[in-house]
Amino acid sequence: MAQKMRDGQLEKRSNRLKLPLRTRKYKILDTGVALSYRRTSEDYGTWAVRLVLADGRYTLETLGTADDYADANGQTILSFGQAQAKALKRHKELQQAGGVIKAATTVKEASEHYLEWFRTHSKSIAATETTIKAHILPTFGETPLEDLKAERIKSWHTRLATKAARKRTRKGAAIAHRAKPETDDEKRSRKSTANRILTVFKAMLNKAYEDALVSTNDAWKRVKPFSDVDEPVIRFLKPEEATRLINACPEDFRRLIKAALMTGARYSELAGMKVEDYSPDTKQVFIRPSKSGKGRHVPLTTEGAALFATCTDGKTGDALVFQRSDGAAWGKNYQVRPLLEACKVAKIAPSIGFHELRHTYASFLANAGADLLTISKLLGHADTRITSRHYAHLCDKTLRNAVDKFLPSLTAEPKTKVTPIKRKAA
């Protein structure tokens, strides 16, 4: 049985009362058992024991009231030490009955726990799941969380930055890789990717620590991301390039490209857009909640309103605005090949991805003098930090106009013409 544990926040009642209401704080006592404290009201908190069952499920049993405002009696009102003893006793009872004990949680089990939570609390589940399966589980899958070492995580993080990037392959096909990074920009990009993978790994491990699946977070807390590698390299089209691209597309794909350039919407947002999302009266289109978790209304130009009027004419409200020439929906990654082909025809090299159309929309606004807050709202960013990071340099025109307008001229012109006096000849 584990010895009595110490905890600065839970041991003293004065510290417990500083915890937010209805926030649960865990303290791992032994493998498969953790003590929980939760302030249920302003008047008192409760102790509970969290047990990990043999099949991997969890159970939470109330032990008693905490001695926040009344003296402990060891039965219904418990001190921190008494709550520990009662939790360990309950754990031993179930252990002897064969109902508990589970071995230390592995990284693979922690990933399943994290993804179960992620599905109901966030959006990009597919990308996160792919990252975990491709880059984290092959190295750490069977490692118990308690056995993770900072040095091993650091070594893995460094290797990620030097490995060749994976290519997109069909489902079931062998994994292919690109060439190893050689240029400074390629190396920066790989380090940036390694940082994003590390962020997913640490989020997963922090969730395990928060939910008392591991007793300490020291190993991964000491692993730091590469610095100065996330400077974005933004690609966007000039107006004449955008026109060439539109003209190089077949009719069904042309509508999708024009809509992206006129709304700044992502491919998935346009592919799922319905007729009811377009308002001909206000000349606005509603973009449903996606990555940011919030929907937004985007005003359209006269040309943009005409495009949406054409695409929605004669359709019911629940029909898709944009469809392929055969009437089918634009599915995941259906835009990749048509865009590559259109770039070749339009002589746009290197070719762009669909997301660069979103960057182009923002660049048109910035170069026309729109401020970062306006651009941020139109793009649906959570705040202006993301917008500033990507597009602040494009707003230089606004700064130049301000300088031209407000700074005085420092070159004074003479008010009258002065004629020099000529001396008479002797």
Side-chain angles (χ1 to χ4, degrees):
M1 181 178 291
Q3 61 182 359
K4 182 178 178 180
M5 306 291 288
R6 303 295 300 272
D7 189 289
Q9 272 192 312
L10 299 182
E11 214 164 338
K12 296 181 179 180
R13 66 176 70 179
S14 58
N15 290 342
R16 291 198 302 264
L17 295 175
K18 294 177 184 178
L19 294 171
L21 283 173
R22 291 175 289 279
T23 297
R24 195 176 293 279
K25 165 78 175 174
Y26 288 100
K27 181 66 178 179
I28 292 181
L29 305 179
D30 202 350
T31 302
V33 56
L35 180 65
S36 160
Y37 172 81
R38 183 172 184 263
R39 284 189 66 202
T40 54
S41 72
E42 292 284 1
D43 298 326
Y44 68 92
T46 57
W47 297 111
V49 58
R50 176 173 174 164
L51 301 164
V52 184
L53 304 178
D55 60 4
R57 293 182 297 109
Y58 303 91
T59 181
L60 190 69
E61 300 180 6
T62 301
L63 298 173
T65 302
D67 60 336
D68 294 338
Y69 293 101
D71 293 334
N73 58 24
Q75 298 298 320
T76 57
I77 304 175
L78 307 174
S79 67
F80 177 61
Q82 292 169 344
Q84 278 193 61
K86 199 167 183 179
L88 290 170
K89 180 182 178 181
R90 178 58 180 150
H91 182 243
K92 186 175 181 180
E93 291 172 355
L94 289 179
Q95 197 173 1
Q96 291 173 342
V100 172
I101 175 173
K102 180 172 172 57
T105 304
T106 64
V107 170
K108 182 179 180 181
E109 291 168 333
S111 72
E112 293 167 353
H113 176 74
Y114 177 67
L115 289 172
E116 182 181 355
W117 170 87
F118 198 93
R119 286 186 182 92
T120 58
H121 290 81
S122 193
K123 294 285 182 181
S124 54
I125 180 64
T128 302
E129 195 167 12
T130 298
T131 296
I132 291 173
K133 288 182 178 179
H135 301 290
I136 298 173
L137 295 186
T139 302
F140 298 103
E142 300 306 318
T143 305
L145 297 180
E146 299 284 356
D147 293 344
L148 286 173
K149 304 295 181 185
E151 292 72 21
R152 187 182 176 197
I153 300 174
K154 288 177 183 177
S155 177
W156 162 80
H157 181 227
T158 301
R159 288 198 308 273
L160 284 176
T162 58
K163 287 174 62 176
R166 288 160 54 110
K167 286 184 178 179
R168 187 190 299 274
T169 54
R170 292 185 178 182
K171 197 172 182 179
I175 297 174
H177 294 82
R178 305 182 189 277
K180 284 194 173 183
E182 297 291 343
T183 67
D184 289 343
D185 191 60
E186 287 173 345
K187 292 176 182 178
R188 180 205 62 78
S189 178
R190 290 306 298 157
K191 286 182 179 179
S192 179
T193 300
N195 282 353
R196 288 195 294 272
I197 297 170
L198 176 65
T199 298
V200 173
F201 193 21
K202 292 177 80 169
M204 183 184 85
L205 296 174
N206 285 332
K207 179 62 179 171
Y209 176 67
E210 178 187 329
D211 291 349
L213 301 182
V214 61
S215 62
T216 176
N217 63 348
D218 182 64
W220 55 91
K221 191 166 70 172
R222 293 191 290 119
V223 181
K224 305 300 180 184
F226 297 112
S227 59
D228 302 324
V229 298
D230 291 325
E231 184 65 29
V233 180
I234 301 299
R235 175 91 187 280
F236 53 87
L237 300 177
K238 297 176 182 177
E240 57 271 20
E241 289 178 317
T243 301
R244 292 207 312 269
L245 181 66
I246 290 170
N247 293 334
C249 297
E251 183 61 31
D252 55 349
F253 194 54
R254 182 182 304 164
R255 294 178 176 181
L256 204 63
I257 294 293
K258 289 180 71 174
L261 290 168
M262 292 174 179
T263 63
R266 302 175 179 90
Y267 171 74
S268 59
E269 292 171 337
L270 292 172
M273 190 175 289
K274 296 185 177 181
V275 172
E276 63 186 1
D277 297 329
Y278 167 60
S279 173
D281 296 331
T282 61
K283 292 186 178 180
Q284 287 185 329
V285 62
F286 176 66
I287 298 178
R288 295 169 183 264
S290 57
K291 189 175 180 180
S292 66
K294 295 181 180 179
R296 63 191 186 277
H297 289 88
V298 177
L300 299 169
T301 62
T302 301
E303 184 182 2
L307 170 67
F308 275 85
T310 300
C311 294
T312 57
D313 186 38
K315 295 181 180 179
T316 58
D318 59 351
L320 293 173
V321 175
F322 302 101
Q323 295 172 299
R324 301 170 70 191
S325 57
D326 59 1
W330 286 97
K332 184 179 180 181
N333 298 326
Y334 282 17
Q335 84 284 11
V336 176
R337 289 186 180 179
L339 188 53
L340 283 173
E341 184 60 33
C343 286
K344 288 180 183 178
V345 175
K347 293 183 171 53
I348 295 174
S351 59
I352 63 168
F354 203 93
H355 202 74
E356 272 70 35
L357 302 177
R358 180 172 165 85
H359 292 321
T360 299
Y361 171 80
S363 74
F364 289 166
L365 291 170
N367 287 327
D371 59 83
L372 288 174
L373 180 59
T374 299
I375 298 173
S376 177
K377 289 182 176 180
L378 289 170
L379 292 177
H381 287 163
D383 57 53
T384 56
R385 287 177 297 176
I386 300 172
T387 318
S388 179
R389 179 169 174 262
H390 287 83
Y391 308 113
H393 66 289
L394 296 175
C395 293
D396 288 347
K397 184 174 181 179
T398 304
L399 303 180
R400 286 196 299 271
N401 290 340
V403 169
D404 291 340
K405 181 177 180 181
F406 296 115
L407 284 185
S409 172
L410 302 179
T411 304
E413 293 290 338
K415 295 183 178 180
T416 59
K417 186 175 181 180
V418 178
T419 304
I421 300 173
K422 295 182 180 179
R423 292 187 179 182
K424 294 182 178 180

